[in-house]
Amino acid sequence: MKLLSTTPDKPKISTLIITLGSALALVITLCVGTATEVNAQSVHPETSLRIQAAPWDAKNAPSSKYITTVTETKTTANLNLRESPSTSASSYGVMPKNTLVKLTGKKDGSWAQLTWKSRTGWASAKYLDTRTYKKDTSTRYMVGYTQIHETSAMNHSIGAVNFRSEVSLLEMSSNYAHIKTGYYHGWVNSNKLSTRRPAAQYRYVQSSGSTYSHWNPNSDKYVGRIHRGDKYEYRRWVGSSKRDEIKVNGKWVWTSTTNRQQPSTEYRYAQENGDVYNGPAKNNSSRVGSISKGTKVRWGAWNGANRRDEILLNGRWVWTGVTDRKNPTPPIKNIANYSRFTTKPFALYKDPGSGSKTVGTVKKGWKVSITHTAGTWKHINAGSVYGWVNDVDHFRIHGPFSIAVYGTLRTGQSAYNIMGGFQQKNMNQRIQKTSLYQLWNPNWTFLTNGSKTVVTEQFQYSDSRGPSMLKKLDVYEGQLKYQGKPMYTRQKVRMSDWSQSWTYKTTPFSEKVVKNSGRYISSGDFLKRS
């Protein structure tokens, strides 16, 4: 709940008396204003014209009772406290290094008498360090904005202190504290002080609006603009003008558009291609850029007189007349189909728009076919699942755990059981610019470079299963050797649908062997070999 602030007091008087000779006396009175409302933009009495310092000026403050001269004695090593001044005397215990002790003032040669805990005994003075210093325990922090008064009677305000300000405590009297700030020394309620700085408080902009130099509308000037949803450090509230003091770009300013609640972020969409301007008024604003149809932007405010929205475009707040809440559906274009692998799991929508109904989900690493576009939206087909997604780094050309197989690892063939654990399988795929050969054994087929395509199946594995599957296949395919050299090596190949996958292809050495001694399979299909 925000509290109502008092209005400023009338100016106070400081007087200078100047004596010229014994016959002439001239009294000059100079008025120095002291406001009860003080902020970063106000002129403080300290910086106003002054001839004679006021009694409540900070430099006239008395010494703090919380800054004292302290003499302390500490042990400089682990030290015995003995019953008498002798190393043979009984020990009351060992005082750890840096233990504070109290000297009694008695000495016996190199021994000093002292009190530690509840025991009085003797210790070697050689291992005691005594020093005198100023101990300052006067630092306090303001837990709220408050008036500061000339005396503990609290009947004459001389200024104010802001929330979280650091002050020096001079003395206490009942429930009142005598403090010193950077400008005054005076009295405040003691419940306004804390030994720890309070956490910063924040306010959120409820609607975009102006900021001003002062809490009083009759004394302020416009200094800037803040926007809906932004978060700023808060210092205080003035009820008479209904303004918060907030910190914007390192400066304390005033506004009436902030509050504790964080508003939801609102967006607008460009309904058509259009211009953006540096202000809402049509007669005195300049064009500063353009916006394309369908662009989604953060919204700040609406200017009804000029029918323009304030929007955040490319990191800059501008004004335009072509945005609205509705997301316009971009035109759908039919394209030549191509395939990609998903980089993350995501939902699919019935139509190209975030307000559309979801129709399914796809997993990371799936191979999908992209069939249509609508602006930044893409229509994908993943077998039994299909729909639209707004493409923001959703796809990649190479499947890191996608494996294309063309021989005995295919479905129903002799080594198919090795391919278990896949999360997706695509049948009837083809590898570009390759040829298929048979050598020595009907089941031994070899993929080489060529001018045609080879029929393959693609198996996609998850991030958790993929690495172990590749290692397993590397071992399996590495078993077939000729003259001590492997016949296969895992290579990245381009598919006919413009995606890329791993497969096991001949090495340069084995390709020569295969093409010289093997039988060419013209169909490129292992199942149609004879």
Side-chain angles (χ1 to χ4, degrees), residues 8 19 34 84 88 120 133 141 149 160 165-166 211 221 231-232 255 259 321 355 363 369 379 406 426 435 441 454 529:
T19 303
T34 305
S84 61
S88 61
T120 299
Y133 64 96
Y141 300 95
H149 297 81
S165 294
E166 181 179 326
T211 59
K221 64 178 180 179
K231 177 182 177 182
Y232 295 104
T255 185
N259 211 327
K363 295 180 180 180
S369 179
H379 187 272
Y406 51 86
N426 298 92
S435 295
N441 185 306
V454 170
R529 73 196 188 286

PDB file of all heavy atoms in Angstrom, residues 8 19 34 84 88 120 133 141 149 160 165-166 211 221 231-232 255 259 321 355 363 369 379 406 426 435 441 454 529:
ATOM      1  N   PRO A   8       5.469  20.243   0.565  1.00  0.00           N
ATOM      2  CA  PRO A   8       6.639  20.963   1.073  1.00  0.00           C
ATOM      3  C   PRO A   8       6.294  22.065   2.082  1.00  0.00           C
ATOM      4  O   PRO A   8       5.264  22.731   1.994  1.00  0.00           O
ATOM      5  CB  PRO A   8       7.241  21.546  -0.203  1.00  0.00           C
ATOM      6  CG  PRO A   8       6.726  20.667  -1.307  1.00  0.00           C
ATOM      7  CD  PRO A   8       5.347  20.305  -0.865  1.00  0.00           C
ATOM      8  N   THR A  19      29.214  43.660  10.467  1.00  0.00           N
ATOM      9  CA  THR A  19      29.480  44.905  11.210  1.00  0.00           C
ATOM     10  C   THR A  19      30.566  45.702  10.513  1.00  0.00           C
ATOM     11  O   THR A  19      31.642  45.184  10.275  1.00  0.00           O
ATOM     12  CB  THR A  19      29.924  44.589  12.637  1.00  0.00           C
ATOM     13  OG1 THR A  19      28.911  43.795  13.243  1.00  0.00           O
ATOM     14  CG2 THR A  19      30.151  45.853  13.428  1.00  0.00           C
ATOM     15  N   THR A  34      14.670  25.050   2.244  1.00  0.00           N
ATOM     16  CA  THR A  34      14.896  23.676   2.709  1.00  0.00           C
ATOM     17  C   THR A  34      13.632  22.875   2.451  1.00  0.00           C
ATOM     18  O   THR A  34      12.642  23.055   3.133  1.00  0.00           O
ATOM     19  CB  THR A  34      15.209  23.659   4.213  1.00  0.00           C
ATOM     20  OG1 THR A  34      16.310  24.514   4.462  1.00  0.00           O
ATOM     21  CG2 THR A  34      15.530  22.237   4.662  1.00  0.00           C
ATOM     22  N   SER A  84      50.228 -19.200  37.562  1.00  0.00           N
ATOM     23  CA  SER A  84      51.203 -18.217  38.026  1.00  0.00           C
ATOM     24  C   SER A  84      52.183 -17.920  36.889  1.00  0.00           C
ATOM     25  O   SER A  84      52.231 -18.647  35.895  1.00  0.00           O
ATOM     26  CB  SER A  84      51.953 -18.748  39.254  1.00  0.00           C
ATOM     27  OG  SER A  84      52.654 -19.940  38.929  1.00  0.00           O
ATOM     28  N   SER A  88      56.320 -23.574  34.439  1.00  0.00           N
ATOM     29  CA  SER A  88      56.079 -24.811  35.190  1.00  0.00           C
ATOM     30  C   SER A  88      54.742 -24.785  35.927  1.00  0.00           C
ATOM     31  O   SER A  88      54.328 -25.785  36.519  1.00  0.00           O
ATOM     32  CB  SER A  88      57.219 -25.052  36.183  1.00  0.00           C
ATOM     33  OG  SER A  88      57.304 -23.988  37.117  1.00  0.00           O
ATOM     34  N   THR A 120      41.192 -16.005  35.482  1.00  0.00           N
ATOM     35  CA  THR A 120      42.267 -15.011  35.476  1.00  0.00           C
ATOM     36  C   THR A 120      43.581 -15.738  35.737  1.00  0.00           C
ATOM     37  O   THR A 120      43.694 -16.536  36.670  1.00  0.00           O
ATOM     38  CB  THR A 120      42.037 -13.938  36.542  1.00  0.00           C
ATOM     39  OG1 THR A 120      40.808 -13.265  36.262  1.00  0.00           O
ATOM     40  CG2 THR A 120      43.180 -12.927  36.551  1.00  0.00           C
ATOM     41  N   TYR A 133      42.371   1.572  18.498  1.00  0.00           N
ATOM     42  CA  TYR A 133      41.867   2.065  17.211  1.00  0.00           C
ATOM     43  C   TYR A 133      40.444   2.592  17.397  1.00  0.00           C
ATOM     44  O   TYR A 133      39.804   2.394  18.435  1.00  0.00           O
ATOM     45  CB  TYR A 133      41.871   0.941  16.184  1.00  0.00           C
ATOM     46  CG  TYR A 133      40.950  -0.204  16.508  1.00  0.00           C
ATOM     47  CD1 TYR A 133      39.667  -0.269  15.964  1.00  0.00           C
ATOM     48  CD2 TYR A 133      41.340  -1.225  17.370  1.00  0.00           C
ATOM     49  CE1 TYR A 133      38.812  -1.314  16.255  1.00  0.00           C
ATOM     50  CE2 TYR A 133      40.496  -2.278  17.673  1.00  0.00           C
ATOM     51  CZ  TYR A 133      39.237  -2.318  17.102  1.00  0.00           C
ATOM     52  OH  TYR A 133      38.382  -3.356  17.389  1.00  0.00           O
ATOM     53  N   TYR A 141      21.101   2.059   7.734  1.00  0.00           N
ATOM     54  CA  TYR A 141      20.462   2.220   6.424  1.00  0.00           C
ATOM     55  C   TYR A 141      18.989   2.538   6.617  1.00  0.00           C
ATOM     56  O   TYR A 141      18.335   2.014   7.528  1.00  0.00           O
ATOM     57  CB  TYR A 141      20.620   0.961   5.586  1.00  0.00           C
ATOM     58  CG  TYR A 141      22.064   0.612   5.328  1.00  0.00           C
ATOM     59  CD1 TYR A 141      22.730  -0.301   6.141  1.00  0.00           C
ATOM     60  CD2 TYR A 141      22.764   1.211   4.290  1.00  0.00           C
ATOM     61  CE1 TYR A 141      24.062  -0.618   5.921  1.00  0.00           C
ATOM     62  CE2 TYR A 141      24.100   0.900   4.064  1.00  0.00           C
ATOM     63  CZ  TYR A 141      24.740  -0.009   4.880  1.00  0.00           C
ATOM     64  OH  TYR A 141      26.054  -0.311   4.666  1.00  0.00           O
ATOM     65  N   HIS A 149      14.087  15.633  11.309  1.00  0.00           N
ATOM     66  CA  HIS A 149      13.676  16.779  12.115  1.00  0.00           C
ATOM     67  C   HIS A 149      14.848  17.373  12.884  1.00  0.00           C
ATOM     68  O   HIS A 149      15.853  16.700  13.144  1.00  0.00           O
ATOM     69  CB  HIS A 149      12.565  16.365  13.089  1.00  0.00           C
ATOM     70  CG  HIS A 149      11.320  15.900  12.406  1.00  0.00           C
ATOM     71  ND1 HIS A 149      11.202  14.601  11.898  1.00  0.00           N
ATOM     72  CD2 HIS A 149      10.150  16.519  12.120  1.00  0.00           C
ATOM     73  CE1 HIS A 149      10.004  14.480  11.350  1.00  0.00           C
ATOM     74  NE2 HIS A 149       9.344  15.627  11.474  1.00  0.00           N
ATOM     75  N   ALA A 160      14.610  15.512   4.197  1.00  0.00           N
ATOM     76  CA  ALA A 160      14.144  14.127   4.078  1.00  0.00           C
ATOM     77  C   ALA A 160      15.308  13.230   3.705  1.00  0.00           C
ATOM     78  O   ALA A 160      16.337  13.682   3.216  1.00  0.00           O
ATOM     79  CB  ALA A 160      13.047  14.034   3.025  1.00  0.00           C
ATOM     80  N   SER A 165      19.228   4.809   1.871  1.00  0.00           N
ATOM     81  CA  SER A 165      20.364   5.710   2.067  1.00  0.00           C
ATOM     82  C   SER A 165      21.213   5.231   3.239  1.00  0.00           C
ATOM     83  O   SER A 165      20.703   4.744   4.252  1.00  0.00           O
ATOM     84  CB  SER A 165      19.872   7.129   2.346  1.00  0.00           C
ATOM     85  OG  SER A 165      19.224   7.669   1.225  1.00  0.00           O
ATOM     86  N   GLU A 166      22.528   5.397   3.122  1.00  0.00           N
ATOM     87  CA  GLU A 166      23.439   5.081   4.220  1.00  0.00           C
ATOM     88  C   GLU A 166      23.627   6.326   5.078  1.00  0.00           C
ATOM     89  O   GLU A 166      23.914   7.405   4.563  1.00  0.00           O
ATOM     90  CB  GLU A 166      24.794   4.626   3.681  1.00  0.00           C
ATOM     91  CG  GLU A 166      25.780   4.249   4.773  1.00  0.00           C
ATOM     92  CD  GLU A 166      27.112   3.766   4.225  1.00  0.00           C
ATOM     93  OE1 GLU A 166      27.119   3.118   3.152  1.00  0.00           O
ATOM     94  OE2 GLU A 166      28.160   4.051   4.861  1.00  0.00           O
ATOM     95  N   THR A 211       8.324   9.907 -18.212  1.00  0.00           N
ATOM     96  CA  THR A 211       9.015  10.115 -16.948  1.00  0.00           C
ATOM     97  C   THR A 211       9.351  11.587 -16.816  1.00  0.00           C
ATOM     98  O   THR A 211       9.529  12.293 -17.816  1.00  0.00           O
ATOM     99  CB  THR A 211      10.304   9.277 -16.865  1.00  0.00           C
ATOM    100  OG1 THR A 211      11.183   9.642 -17.947  1.00  0.00           O
ATOM    101  CG2 THR A 211       9.991   7.795 -16.943  1.00  0.00           C
ATOM    102  N   LYS A 221       9.702  18.559 -15.513  1.00  0.00           N
ATOM    103  CA  LYS A 221       9.884  18.622 -16.951  1.00  0.00           C
ATOM    104  C   LYS A 221       9.980  17.198 -17.482  1.00  0.00           C
ATOM    105  O   LYS A 221      10.423  16.285 -16.777  1.00  0.00           O
ATOM    106  CB  LYS A 221      11.113  19.431 -17.339  1.00  0.00           C
ATOM    107  CG  LYS A 221      12.434  18.837 -16.882  1.00  0.00           C
ATOM    108  CD  LYS A 221      13.597  19.691 -17.370  1.00  0.00           C
ATOM    109  CE  LYS A 221      14.945  19.098 -16.917  1.00  0.00           C
ATOM    110  NZ  LYS A 221      16.090  19.892 -17.395  1.00  0.00           N
ATOM    111  N   LYS A 231      11.107  -3.320 -16.108  1.00  0.00           N
ATOM    112  CA  LYS A 231      11.302  -3.398 -14.661  1.00  0.00           C
ATOM    113  C   LYS A 231      12.350  -2.373 -14.244  1.00  0.00           C
ATOM    114  O   LYS A 231      13.428  -2.300 -14.836  1.00  0.00           O
ATOM    115  CB  LYS A 231      11.762  -4.807 -14.290  1.00  0.00           C
ATOM    116  CG  LYS A 231      12.078  -5.026 -12.821  1.00  0.00           C
ATOM    117  CD  LYS A 231      12.572  -6.453 -12.627  1.00  0.00           C
ATOM    118  CE  LYS A 231      12.979  -6.733 -11.195  1.00  0.00           C
ATOM    119  NZ  LYS A 231      13.493  -8.112 -11.036  1.00  0.00           N
ATOM    120  N   TYR A 232      12.044  -1.575 -13.183  1.00  0.00           N
ATOM    121  CA  TYR A 232      12.964  -0.540 -12.711  1.00  0.00           C
ATOM    122  C   TYR A 232      13.049  -0.553 -11.182  1.00  0.00           C
ATOM    123  O   TYR A 232      12.071  -0.875 -10.504  1.00  0.00           O
ATOM    124  CB  TYR A 232      12.494   0.848 -13.174  1.00  0.00           C
ATOM    125  CG  TYR A 232      12.519   1.021 -14.676  1.00  0.00           C
ATOM    126  CD1 TYR A 232      11.340   0.975 -15.421  1.00  0.00           C
ATOM    127  CD2 TYR A 232      13.717   1.200 -15.351  1.00  0.00           C
ATOM    128  CE1 TYR A 232      11.350   1.125 -16.791  1.00  0.00           C
ATOM    129  CE2 TYR A 232      13.743   1.352 -16.727  1.00  0.00           C
ATOM    130  CZ  TYR A 232      12.560   1.314 -17.440  1.00  0.00           C
ATOM    131  OH  TYR A 232      12.586   1.456 -18.797  1.00  0.00           O
ATOM    132  N   THR A 255       7.355   8.876 -12.327  1.00  0.00           N
ATOM    133  CA  THR A 255       6.356   8.442 -13.296  1.00  0.00           C
ATOM    134  C   THR A 255       5.093   7.992 -12.573  1.00  0.00           C
ATOM    135  O   THR A 255       5.138   7.634 -11.390  1.00  0.00           O
ATOM    136  CB  THR A 255       6.886   7.290 -14.164  1.00  0.00           C
ATOM    137  OG1 THR A 255       5.924   6.961 -15.170  1.00  0.00           O
ATOM    138  CG2 THR A 255       7.160   6.048 -13.326  1.00  0.00           C
ATOM    139  N   ASN A 259       3.844   0.031 -11.101  1.00  0.00           N
ATOM    140  CA  ASN A 259       3.227  -0.581  -9.929  1.00  0.00           C
ATOM    141  C   ASN A 259       3.929  -1.906  -9.644  1.00  0.00           C
ATOM    142  O   ASN A 259       4.816  -2.323 -10.377  1.00  0.00           O
ATOM    143  CB  ASN A 259       1.729  -0.797 -10.147  1.00  0.00           C
ATOM    144  CG  ASN A 259       0.956  -0.683  -8.840  1.00  0.00           C
ATOM    145  OD1 ASN A 259       1.469  -1.036  -7.773  1.00  0.00           O
ATOM    146  ND2 ASN A 259      -0.272  -0.198  -8.916  1.00  0.00           N
ATOM    147  N   GLY A 321       1.150   2.353 -37.964  1.00  0.00           N
ATOM    148  CA  GLY A 321      -0.298   2.225 -38.069  1.00  0.00           C
ATOM    149  C   GLY A 321      -0.743   0.940 -38.732  1.00  0.00           C
ATOM    150  O   GLY A 321      -1.915   0.802 -39.081  1.00  0.00           O
ATOM    151  N   GLY A 355      -1.825 -19.341 -33.252  1.00  0.00           N
ATOM    152  CA  GLY A 355      -3.144 -19.496 -32.648  1.00  0.00           C
ATOM    153  C   GLY A 355      -3.884 -20.714 -33.147  1.00  0.00           C
ATOM    154  O   GLY A 355      -5.001 -21.005 -32.700  1.00  0.00           O
ATOM    155  N   LYS A 363       9.744 -35.854 -32.644  1.00  0.00           N
ATOM    156  CA  LYS A 363      10.879 -36.001 -31.748  1.00  0.00           C
ATOM    157  C   LYS A 363      12.140 -35.424 -32.372  1.00  0.00           C
ATOM    158  O   LYS A 363      12.229 -35.248 -33.584  1.00  0.00           O
ATOM    159  CB  LYS A 363      11.104 -37.471 -31.403  1.00  0.00           C
ATOM    160  CG  LYS A 363       9.986 -38.113 -30.618  1.00  0.00           C
ATOM    161  CD  LYS A 363      10.297 -39.578 -30.323  1.00  0.00           C
ATOM    162  CE  LYS A 363       9.188 -40.238 -29.522  1.00  0.00           C
ATOM    163  NZ  LYS A 363       9.487 -41.669 -29.229  1.00  0.00           N
ATOM    164  N   SER A 369       9.768 -34.575 -44.192  1.00  0.00           N
ATOM    165  CA  SER A 369       9.710 -34.027 -45.539  1.00  0.00           C
ATOM    166  C   SER A 369       9.005 -32.673 -45.485  1.00  0.00           C
ATOM    167  O   SER A 369       7.915 -32.561 -44.902  1.00  0.00           O
ATOM    168  CB  SER A 369       8.956 -34.975 -46.460  1.00  0.00           C
ATOM    169  OG  SER A 369       8.866 -34.448 -47.763  1.00  0.00           O
ATOM    170  N   HIS A 379       5.415 -26.566 -43.703  1.00  0.00           N
ATOM    171  CA  HIS A 379       4.548 -27.728 -43.543  1.00  0.00           C
ATOM    172  C   HIS A 379       5.414 -28.966 -43.702  1.00  0.00           C
ATOM    173  O   HIS A 379       6.150 -29.116 -44.685  1.00  0.00           O
ATOM    174  CB  HIS A 379       3.437 -27.742 -44.582  1.00  0.00           C
ATOM    175  CG  HIS A 379       2.426 -28.836 -44.345  1.00  0.00           C
ATOM    176  ND1 HIS A 379       2.573 -30.108 -44.857  1.00  0.00           N
ATOM    177  CD2 HIS A 379       1.270 -28.849 -43.621  1.00  0.00           C
ATOM    178  CE1 HIS A 379       1.547 -30.862 -44.471  1.00  0.00           C
ATOM    179  NE2 HIS A 379       0.742 -30.122 -43.726  1.00  0.00           N
ATOM    180  N   TYR A 406      21.687 -50.627 -47.231  1.00  0.00           N
ATOM    181  CA  TYR A 406      21.249 -51.028 -48.562  1.00  0.00           C
ATOM    182  C   TYR A 406      21.352 -52.526 -48.819  1.00  0.00           C
ATOM    183  O   TYR A 406      20.946 -53.004 -49.877  1.00  0.00           O
ATOM    184  CB  TYR A 406      22.082 -50.292 -49.620  1.00  0.00           C
ATOM    185  CG  TYR A 406      23.572 -50.415 -49.399  1.00  0.00           C
ATOM    186  CD1 TYR A 406      24.275 -51.505 -49.888  1.00  0.00           C
ATOM    187  CD2 TYR A 406      24.254 -49.451 -48.664  1.00  0.00           C
ATOM    188  CE1 TYR A 406      25.635 -51.637 -49.662  1.00  0.00           C
ATOM    189  CE2 TYR A 406      25.616 -49.570 -48.435  1.00  0.00           C
ATOM    190  CZ  TYR A 406      26.310 -50.665 -48.937  1.00  0.00           C
ATOM    191  OH  TYR A 406      27.658 -50.795 -48.705  1.00  0.00           O
ATOM    192  N   ASN A 426      12.679 -45.013 -42.347  1.00  0.00           N
ATOM    193  CA  ASN A 426      12.139 -44.525 -43.615  1.00  0.00           C
ATOM    194  C   ASN A 426      12.512 -45.515 -44.716  1.00  0.00           C
ATOM    195  O   ASN A 426      13.699 -45.762 -44.973  1.00  0.00           O
ATOM    196  CB  ASN A 426      12.701 -43.145 -43.961  1.00  0.00           C
ATOM    197  CG  ASN A 426      12.317 -42.098 -42.936  1.00  0.00           C
ATOM    198  OD1 ASN A 426      13.050 -41.859 -41.987  1.00  0.00           O
ATOM    199  ND2 ASN A 426      11.168 -41.481 -43.109  1.00  0.00           N
ATOM    200  N   SER A 435      26.713 -46.442 -57.083  1.00  0.00           N
ATOM    201  CA  SER A 435      26.422 -47.693 -57.798  1.00  0.00           C
ATOM    202  C   SER A 435      26.505 -48.841 -56.805  1.00  0.00           C
ATOM    203  O   SER A 435      27.145 -48.725 -55.746  1.00  0.00           O
ATOM    204  CB  SER A 435      27.431 -47.919 -58.929  1.00  0.00           C
ATOM    205  OG  SER A 435      27.301 -46.923 -59.923  1.00  0.00           O
ATOM    206  N   ASN A 441      30.115 -63.317 -52.796  1.00  0.00           N
ATOM    207  CA  ASN A 441      29.002 -63.946 -52.074  1.00  0.00           C
ATOM    208  C   ASN A 441      27.728 -63.177 -52.432  1.00  0.00           C
ATOM    209  O   ASN A 441      27.751 -61.949 -52.529  1.00  0.00           O
ATOM    210  CB  ASN A 441      29.281 -63.875 -50.572  1.00  0.00           C
ATOM    211  CG  ASN A 441      28.239 -64.598 -49.730  1.00  0.00           C
ATOM    212  OD1 ASN A 441      27.049 -64.337 -49.836  1.00  0.00           O
ATOM    213  ND2 ASN A 441      28.704 -65.502 -48.875  1.00  0.00           N
ATOM    214  N   VAL A 454      21.128 -45.643 -55.417  1.00  0.00           N
ATOM    215  CA  VAL A 454      20.999 -46.958 -54.794  1.00  0.00           C
ATOM    216  C   VAL A 454      19.869 -46.920 -53.773  1.00  0.00           C
ATOM    217  O   VAL A 454      19.766 -45.976 -52.975  1.00  0.00           O
ATOM    218  CB  VAL A 454      22.326 -47.382 -54.127  1.00  0.00           C
ATOM    219  CG1 VAL A 454      22.131 -48.630 -53.275  1.00  0.00           C
ATOM    220  CG2 VAL A 454      23.388 -47.626 -55.192  1.00  0.00           C
ATOM    221  N   ARG A 529      18.851 -58.218 -56.820  1.00  0.00           N
ATOM    222  CA  ARG A 529      20.063 -58.857 -57.320  1.00  0.00           C
ATOM    223  C   ARG A 529      19.741 -60.301 -57.702  1.00  0.00           C
ATOM    224  O   ARG A 529      18.762 -60.872 -57.223  1.00  0.00           O
ATOM    225  CB  ARG A 529      21.158 -58.823 -56.246  1.00  0.00           C
ATOM    226  CG  ARG A 529      20.906 -59.800 -55.100  1.00  0.00           C
ATOM    227  CD  ARG A 529      21.755 -59.473 -53.892  1.00  0.00           C
ATOM    228  NE  ARG A 529      21.656 -60.505 -52.859  1.00  0.00           N
ATOM    229  CZ  ARG A 529      20.615 -60.686 -52.062  1.00  0.00           C
ATOM    230  NH1 ARG A 529      19.531 -59.944 -52.188  1.00  0.00           N
ATOM    231  NH2 ARG A 529      20.637 -61.647 -51.147  1.00  0.00           N
TER     232      ARG A 529
END
